[in-house]
Short mmCIF file of all heavy atoms in Angstrom, two decimals:
data_model
loop_
_atom_site.label_atom_id
_atom_site.label_comp_id
_atom_site.label_asym_id
_atom_site.label_seq_id
_atom_site.Cartn_x
_atom_site.Cartn_y
_atom_site.Cartn_z
N SER A 48 99.29 92.01 40.60
CA SER A 48 100.60 92.47 41.06
C SER A 48 100.93 93.85 40.51
O SER A 48 100.67 94.15 39.34
CB SER A 48 101.69 91.49 40.62
OG SER A 48 101.45 90.22 41.17
N TYR A 50 104.06 97.18 40.81
CA TYR A 50 105.48 97.41 41.07
C TYR A 50 105.82 98.89 40.96
O TYR A 50 105.22 99.60 40.16
CB TYR A 50 106.33 96.64 40.05
CG TYR A 50 105.99 95.18 39.90
CD1 TYR A 50 104.94 94.77 39.10
CD2 TYR A 50 106.72 94.21 40.57
CE1 TYR A 50 104.61 93.44 38.97
CE2 TYR A 50 106.41 92.87 40.44
CZ TYR A 50 105.34 92.49 39.64
OH TYR A 50 105.02 91.16 39.52
N TYR A 52 109.38 100.98 40.10
CA TYR A 52 110.77 100.96 39.70
C TYR A 52 111.30 102.39 39.63
O TYR A 52 110.55 103.32 39.38
CB TYR A 52 110.95 100.34 38.30
CG TYR A 52 110.69 98.87 38.20
CD1 TYR A 52 109.41 98.39 37.91
CD2 TYR A 52 111.73 97.95 38.34
CE1 TYR A 52 109.18 97.02 37.79
CE2 TYR A 52 111.50 96.59 38.22
CZ TYR A 52 110.22 96.14 37.94
OH TYR A 52 110.00 94.79 37.82
N GLN A 54 114.43 104.50 37.44
CA GLN A 54 115.35 104.36 36.31
C GLN A 54 116.35 105.49 36.36
O GLN A 54 115.98 106.67 36.32
CB GLN A 54 114.60 104.38 34.97
CG GLN A 54 115.52 104.15 33.78
CD GLN A 54 114.77 104.12 32.47
OE1 GLN A 54 113.70 104.72 32.32
NE2 GLN A 54 115.30 103.39 31.50
N GLY A 57 122.62 104.55 33.30
CA GLY A 57 123.64 103.55 33.55
C GLY A 57 123.27 102.49 34.57
O GLY A 57 124.04 101.55 34.80
N MET A 58 122.08 102.63 35.18
CA MET A 58 121.70 101.68 36.24
C MET A 58 120.52 100.81 35.81
O MET A 58 120.14 99.89 36.52
CB MET A 58 121.30 102.45 37.51
CG MET A 58 122.40 103.32 38.06
SD MET A 58 123.83 102.36 38.60
CE MET A 58 123.17 101.54 40.02
N GLY A 59 119.94 101.12 34.70
CA GLY A 59 118.79 100.34 34.27
C GLY A 59 117.60 100.58 35.17
O GLY A 59 117.43 101.64 35.76
N LEU A 60 116.76 99.57 35.29
CA LEU A 60 115.59 99.62 36.15
C LEU A 60 115.88 98.94 37.46
O LEU A 60 116.37 97.80 37.47
CB LEU A 60 114.43 98.88 35.49
CG LEU A 60 113.65 99.58 34.41
CD1 LEU A 60 112.60 98.63 33.87
CD2 LEU A 60 112.98 100.82 34.94
N LEU A 62 114.09 97.80 41.17
CA LEU A 62 112.81 97.62 41.85
C LEU A 62 112.86 98.24 43.24
O LEU A 62 113.76 97.94 44.02
CB LEU A 62 112.49 96.12 41.94
CG LEU A 62 111.17 95.75 42.57
CD1 LEU A 62 110.00 96.25 41.70
CD2 LEU A 62 111.09 94.24 42.75
N TYR A 65 107.20 96.16 45.65
CA TYR A 65 106.16 95.56 44.84
C TYR A 65 105.05 95.01 45.74
O TYR A 65 105.24 94.84 46.96
CB TYR A 65 106.71 94.48 43.90
CG TYR A 65 107.22 93.23 44.57
CD1 TYR A 65 106.47 92.06 44.59
CD2 TYR A 65 108.49 93.20 45.14
CE1 TYR A 65 106.95 90.90 45.17
CE2 TYR A 65 108.97 92.05 45.74
CZ TYR A 65 108.21 90.91 45.74
OH TYR A 65 108.68 89.76 46.32
N ALA A 67 102.50 91.83 45.46
CA ALA A 67 102.11 90.63 44.69
C ALA A 67 100.59 90.49 44.61
O ALA A 67 100.07 89.90 43.66
CB ALA A 67 102.73 89.39 45.30
N PHE A 107 108.76 104.54 37.54
CA PHE A 107 107.79 103.82 36.74
C PHE A 107 106.98 102.88 37.61
O PHE A 107 107.52 102.13 38.42
CB PHE A 107 108.46 103.00 35.64
CG PHE A 107 109.02 103.82 34.53
CD1 PHE A 107 110.37 104.15 34.50
CD2 PHE A 107 108.19 104.28 33.51
CE1 PHE A 107 110.88 104.92 33.46
CE2 PHE A 107 108.71 105.04 32.47
CZ PHE A 107 110.05 105.36 32.45
N SER A 113 98.96 87.78 37.76
CA SER A 113 99.80 86.79 38.44
C SER A 113 98.91 85.89 39.27
O SER A 113 97.73 86.14 39.44
CB SER A 113 100.82 87.47 39.34
OG SER A 113 100.18 88.16 40.38
N GLY A 114 99.51 84.85 39.79
CA GLY A 114 98.76 83.94 40.64
C GLY A 114 99.39 82.58 40.63
O GLY A 114 100.33 82.30 39.87
N VAL A 117 100.73 80.62 37.50
CA VAL A 117 100.90 81.51 36.36
C VAL A 117 102.38 81.76 36.15
O VAL A 117 103.07 82.16 37.07
CB VAL A 117 100.16 82.84 36.59
CG1 VAL A 117 100.45 83.81 35.45
CG2 VAL A 117 98.68 82.60 36.73
N ARG A 118 102.85 81.55 34.92
CA ARG A 118 104.25 81.86 34.65
C ARG A 118 104.42 83.37 34.61
O ARG A 118 103.48 84.11 34.40
CB ARG A 118 104.66 81.25 33.31
CG ARG A 118 104.68 79.74 33.31
CD ARG A 118 105.17 79.22 31.98
NE ARG A 118 106.56 79.57 31.75
CZ ARG A 118 107.58 78.83 32.15
NH1 ARG A 118 107.36 77.71 32.81
NH2 ARG A 118 108.81 79.20 31.91
N ALA A 119 105.67 83.79 34.82
CA ALA A 119 105.96 85.23 34.79
C ALA A 119 105.41 85.81 33.50
O ALA A 119 105.64 85.29 32.42
CB ALA A 119 107.47 85.44 34.85
N GLY A 120 104.65 86.87 33.65
CA GLY A 120 103.94 87.41 32.51
C GLY A 120 104.38 88.78 32.12
O GLY A 120 105.34 89.33 32.62
N GLU A 121 103.65 89.37 31.21
CA GLU A 121 103.98 90.65 30.64
C GLU A 121 103.71 91.76 31.65
O GLU A 121 102.63 91.83 32.24
CB GLU A 121 103.15 90.90 29.40
CG GLU A 121 103.36 92.26 28.77
CD GLU A 121 102.51 92.44 27.55
OE1 GLU A 121 101.81 91.49 27.17
OE2 GLU A 121 102.54 93.54 26.97
N LEU A 122 104.68 92.62 31.83
CA LEU A 122 104.52 93.82 32.64
C LEU A 122 103.96 94.94 31.77
O LEU A 122 104.41 95.13 30.64
CB LEU A 122 105.85 94.27 33.23
CG LEU A 122 106.38 93.56 34.47
CD1 LEU A 122 107.74 94.13 34.85
CD2 LEU A 122 105.42 93.67 35.61
N PHE A 124 103.61 99.00 31.77
CA PHE A 124 104.21 100.14 32.44
C PHE A 124 103.41 101.42 32.22
O PHE A 124 102.80 101.62 31.16
CB PHE A 124 105.63 100.38 31.91
CG PHE A 124 106.64 99.42 32.43
CD1 PHE A 124 106.79 98.17 31.88
CD2 PHE A 124 107.47 99.78 33.49
CE1 PHE A 124 107.74 97.27 32.37
CE2 PHE A 124 108.42 98.91 33.99
CZ PHE A 124 108.56 97.65 33.43
N GLY A 125 103.47 102.28 33.22
CA GLY A 125 103.00 103.64 33.04
C GLY A 125 104.03 104.46 32.28
O GLY A 125 105.11 103.96 31.94
N GLU A 126 103.70 105.72 32.02
CA GLU A 126 104.58 106.57 31.22
C GLU A 126 105.72 107.17 32.02
O GLU A 126 106.61 107.79 31.45
CB GLU A 126 103.77 107.66 30.54
CG GLU A 126 102.80 107.12 29.50
CD GLU A 126 102.09 108.22 28.74
OE1 GLU A 126 102.12 109.38 29.20
OE2 GLU A 126 101.51 107.92 27.69
N TYR B 51 113.41 77.04 35.30
CA TYR B 51 113.15 77.25 33.87
C TYR B 51 112.45 78.59 33.68
O TYR B 51 111.22 78.67 33.63
CB TYR B 51 112.28 76.10 33.34
CG TYR B 51 112.94 74.76 33.58
CD1 TYR B 51 112.64 73.99 34.70
CD2 TYR B 51 113.89 74.29 32.67
CE1 TYR B 51 113.27 72.77 34.91
CE2 TYR B 51 114.53 73.08 32.88
CZ TYR B 51 114.21 72.32 34.01
OH TYR B 51 114.84 71.13 34.21
N PRO B 52 113.24 79.65 33.58
CA PRO B 52 112.63 80.98 33.52
C PRO B 52 112.01 81.29 32.16
O PRO B 52 112.32 80.63 31.16
CB PRO B 52 113.83 81.91 33.77
CG PRO B 52 115.00 81.14 33.23
CD PRO B 52 114.71 79.70 33.53
N SER B 53 111.18 82.29 32.15
CA SER B 53 110.74 82.92 30.91
C SER B 53 111.67 84.09 30.64
O SER B 53 112.21 84.71 31.57
CB SER B 53 109.30 83.44 31.05
OG SER B 53 108.40 82.37 31.23
N PHE B 55 112.42 87.75 28.27
CA PHE B 55 111.69 88.85 27.64
C PHE B 55 112.67 89.88 27.07
O PHE B 55 113.77 90.06 27.59
CB PHE B 55 110.82 89.58 28.67
CG PHE B 55 109.87 88.70 29.43
CD1 PHE B 55 110.29 87.99 30.54
CD2 PHE B 55 108.54 88.60 29.04
CE1 PHE B 55 109.41 87.18 31.25
CE2 PHE B 55 107.65 87.80 29.75
CZ PHE B 55 108.09 87.09 30.85
N TYR B 57 112.14 93.98 26.39
CA TYR B 57 111.29 95.16 26.46
C TYR B 57 111.97 96.29 25.70
O TYR B 57 113.20 96.37 25.64
CB TYR B 57 111.07 95.59 27.91
CG TYR B 57 110.04 94.76 28.64
CD1 TYR B 57 110.35 93.50 29.14
CD2 TYR B 57 108.75 95.24 28.81
CE1 TYR B 57 109.39 92.75 29.79
CE2 TYR B 57 107.78 94.49 29.47
CZ TYR B 57 108.12 93.24 29.94
OH TYR B 57 107.17 92.49 30.59
N GLN B 59 111.96 100.66 25.20
CA GLN B 59 111.52 101.95 25.73
C GLN B 59 111.85 103.03 24.70
O GLN B 59 113.01 103.36 24.48
CB GLN B 59 112.24 102.26 27.05
CG GLN B 59 111.79 103.56 27.69
CD GLN B 59 112.54 103.85 28.97
OE1 GLN B 59 113.69 103.46 29.14
NE2 GLN B 59 111.90 104.55 29.90
N GLY B 62 110.87 109.11 26.04
CA GLY B 62 109.77 109.75 26.76
C GLY B 62 108.63 108.82 27.14
O GLY B 62 107.59 109.29 27.61
N GLU B 63 108.82 107.53 26.95
CA GLU B 63 107.73 106.59 27.24
C GLU B 63 108.16 105.55 28.28
O GLU B 63 109.33 105.43 28.62
CB GLU B 63 107.29 105.88 25.96
CG GLU B 63 106.75 106.82 24.90
CD GLU B 63 106.27 106.06 23.67
OE1 GLU B 63 106.18 104.81 23.70
OE2 GLU B 63 105.99 106.73 22.65
N GLY B 64 107.17 104.78 28.76
CA GLY B 64 107.48 103.64 29.60
C GLY B 64 107.90 102.45 28.76
O GLY B 64 107.90 102.49 27.53
N LEU B 65 108.29 101.38 29.43
CA LEU B 65 108.71 100.18 28.71
C LEU B 65 107.48 99.45 28.18
O LEU B 65 106.40 99.48 28.77
CB LEU B 65 109.47 99.24 29.65
CG LEU B 65 110.92 99.54 29.95
CD1 LEU B 65 111.06 100.77 30.82
CD2 LEU B 65 111.59 98.33 30.60
N LEU B 67 106.48 95.53 26.18
CA LEU B 67 107.00 94.22 25.79
C LEU B 67 107.22 94.17 24.28
O LEU B 67 106.35 94.52 23.49
CB LEU B 67 106.01 93.13 26.20
CG LEU B 67 106.43 91.71 25.85
CD1 LEU B 67 107.64 91.30 26.68
CD2 LEU B 67 105.28 90.73 26.09
N THR B 72 109.11 81.35 26.48
CA THR B 72 108.82 80.74 27.77
C THR B 72 109.53 79.41 27.99
O THR B 72 109.52 78.90 29.12
CB THR B 72 107.31 80.53 27.95
OG1 THR B 72 106.84 79.71 26.88
CG2 THR B 72 106.58 81.86 27.94
N PHE B 110 115.73 96.40 26.80
CA PHE B 110 116.00 95.73 28.06
C PHE B 110 115.72 94.25 27.93
O PHE B 110 114.63 93.85 27.51
CB PHE B 110 115.11 96.28 29.18
CG PHE B 110 115.40 97.69 29.58
CD1 PHE B 110 114.77 98.75 28.94
CD2 PHE B 110 116.28 97.97 30.61
CE1 PHE B 110 115.03 100.06 29.30
CE2 PHE B 110 116.53 99.27 31.00
CZ PHE B 110 115.91 100.32 30.34
N GLY B 114 112.08 86.03 34.20
CA GLY B 114 111.10 85.82 35.25
C GLY B 114 110.91 84.33 35.51
O GLY B 114 110.94 83.53 34.57
N ASN B 115 110.71 83.98 36.79
CA ASN B 115 110.55 82.58 37.15
C ASN B 115 109.12 82.15 37.37
O ASN B 115 108.73 81.07 37.01
CB ASN B 115 111.37 82.25 38.40
CG ASN B 115 112.76 81.80 38.06
OD1 ASN B 115 113.72 82.43 38.44
ND2 ASN B 115 112.89 80.72 37.33
N SER B 116 108.33 83.00 38.01
CA SER B 116 106.96 82.61 38.30
C SER B 116 106.09 83.84 38.34
O SER B 116 106.59 84.96 38.36
CB SER B 116 106.88 81.87 39.64
OG SER B 116 107.06 82.79 40.70
N GLY B 117 104.80 83.63 38.37
CA GLY B 117 103.89 84.76 38.28
C GLY B 117 103.94 85.69 39.47
O GLY B 117 103.50 86.82 39.37
N ASN B 118 104.47 85.25 40.60
CA ASN B 118 104.44 86.09 41.79
C ASN B 118 105.75 86.79 42.10
O ASN B 118 105.83 87.57 43.04
CB ASN B 118 104.03 85.26 43.01
CG ASN B 118 102.56 84.91 42.96
OD1 ASN B 118 101.76 85.66 42.42
ND2 ASN B 118 102.22 83.75 43.48
N THR B 119 106.80 86.49 41.36
CA THR B 119 108.08 87.13 41.64
C THR B 119 108.39 88.17 40.56
O THR B 119 108.08 87.97 39.39
CB THR B 119 109.22 86.11 41.69
OG1 THR B 119 109.24 85.38 40.46
CG2 THR B 119 109.02 85.15 42.84
N PRO B 120 109.00 89.28 40.97
CA PRO B 120 109.27 90.35 40.00
C PRO B 120 110.25 89.92 38.93
O PRO B 120 111.16 89.12 39.17
CB PRO B 120 109.87 91.45 40.87
CG PRO B 120 109.45 91.14 42.26
CD PRO B 120 109.37 89.66 42.34
N LEU B 121 110.09 90.49 37.74
CA LEU B 121 111.06 90.28 36.69
C LEU B 121 112.39 90.90 37.09
O LEU B 121 112.45 91.91 37.79
CB LEU B 121 110.59 90.91 35.38
CG LEU B 121 109.33 90.36 34.72
CD1 LEU B 121 109.13 91.02 33.37
CD2 LEU B 121 109.40 88.86 34.59
N PHE B 123 115.64 92.71 35.43
CA PHE B 123 115.99 93.40 34.19
C PHE B 123 117.50 93.57 34.06
O PHE B 123 118.22 93.73 35.06
CB PHE B 123 115.36 94.79 34.17
CG PHE B 123 113.90 94.80 33.90
CD1 PHE B 123 112.98 94.67 34.92
CD2 PHE B 123 113.42 94.94 32.60
CE1 PHE B 123 111.62 94.66 34.67
CE2 PHE B 123 112.06 94.95 32.34
CZ PHE B 123 111.15 94.80 33.37
N LYS B 125 120.55 96.09 32.36
CA LYS B 125 120.72 97.53 32.52
C LYS B 125 120.28 98.33 31.30
O LYS B 125 120.27 99.56 31.34
CB LYS B 125 122.18 97.86 32.86
CG LYS B 125 122.57 97.38 34.25
CD LYS B 125 123.95 97.87 34.65
CE LYS B 125 124.24 97.46 36.08
NZ LYS B 125 125.56 97.94 36.55
#
Side-chain angles (χ1 to χ4, degrees):
Chain A
S48 299
Y50 308 82
Y52 290 90
Q54 184 178 27
M58 301 296 291
L60 281 178
L62 182 66
Y65 68 103
F107 288 98
S113 64
V117 175
R118 293 183 66 88
E121 177 180 358
L122 280 178
F124 283 82
E126 293 185 345
Chain B
Y51 303 95
S53 295
F55 305 83
Y57 281 79
Q59 182 182 29
E63 299 182 10
L65 281 70
L67 181 68
T72 58
F110 292 89
N115 270 118
S116 72
N118 287 329
T119 56
L121 296 187
F123 285 87
K125 292 188 175 181

